[in-house]
Amino acid sequence: MARIDIRSLLVPVLAVVAAMLVGMILIYSIGYDALFAYQALITGAIGSPSAIGTTLLRSTPIILTGLSVMIAFRAGLFNIGGQGQAIMGLLAGGVIAVRIYGARGRIVRPSGAGVSRRERMRGAEGGGVGAGGLRA
């Protein structure tokens, strides 16, 4: 079993604590209650099952974009266009959904359920076009 080094956890925890302290100072300096603001932040993010679902729904594209940039760095490539690639992939997926299903009012779920593997790959190819076709 791998041993967890406490010192490796100390730096990220201290960074979060320092950021929260700086945030509290800034919130108090403009005349608002920082504890109420942090309570509202936490309640809005994880205060109910619906809030947790919304947090995951909105954070997943950002997490996956960061993962894609990390994979490029590990491969020795310098990729600063992750946001544009995500936008191109989303745009391509939307265009494909409209072309396949038309304007008949059918709702395509964000999870991609009911969408074939080929259609999902076309959306991924749209992100690839954003990577290769939109270089400066």
Side-chain angles (χ1 to χ4, degrees):
M1 189 160 88
R3 224 175 122 206
I4 297 175
D5 185 18
I6 298 298
R7 288 176 284 169
S8 66
L9 296 175
L10 191 61
V11 172
V13 169
L14 287 177
V16 170
V17 169
M20 291 185 75
L21 288 173
V22 169
M24 287 181 82
I25 292 169
L26 290 173
I27 292 170
Y28 277 129
S29 71
I30 60 174
Y32 290 100
D33 184 13
L35 295 178
F36 178 75
Y38 282 143
Q39 178 187 4
L41 176 75
I42 292 170
T43 303
I46 57 173
S48 70
S50 175
I52 293 171
T54 301
T55 299
L56 292 174
L57 179 70
R58 291 184 179 176
S59 66
T60 301
I62 299 167
I63 293 168
L64 292 177
T65 301
L67 180 64
S68 70
V69 171
M70 187 267 313
I71 290 171
F73 280 141
R74 291 284 178 140
L77 302 171
F78 185 67
N79 180 4
I80 59 170
Q83 183 180 12
Q85 292 167 9
I87 291 170
M88 291 298 291
L90 292 169
L91 180 65
V95 167
I96 290 165
V98 169
R99 290 202 50 152
I100 289 174
Y101 301 116
R104 297 183 299 230
R106 178 176 171 171
I107 297 174
V108 179
R109 290 177 282 221
S111 66
V115 178
S116 74
R117 183 178 302 156
R118 184 182 66 188
E119 294 163 1
R120 286 188 213 138
M121 288 305 295
R122 297 289 181 235
E125 289 171 1
V129 168
L134 297 178
R135 282 193 263 181

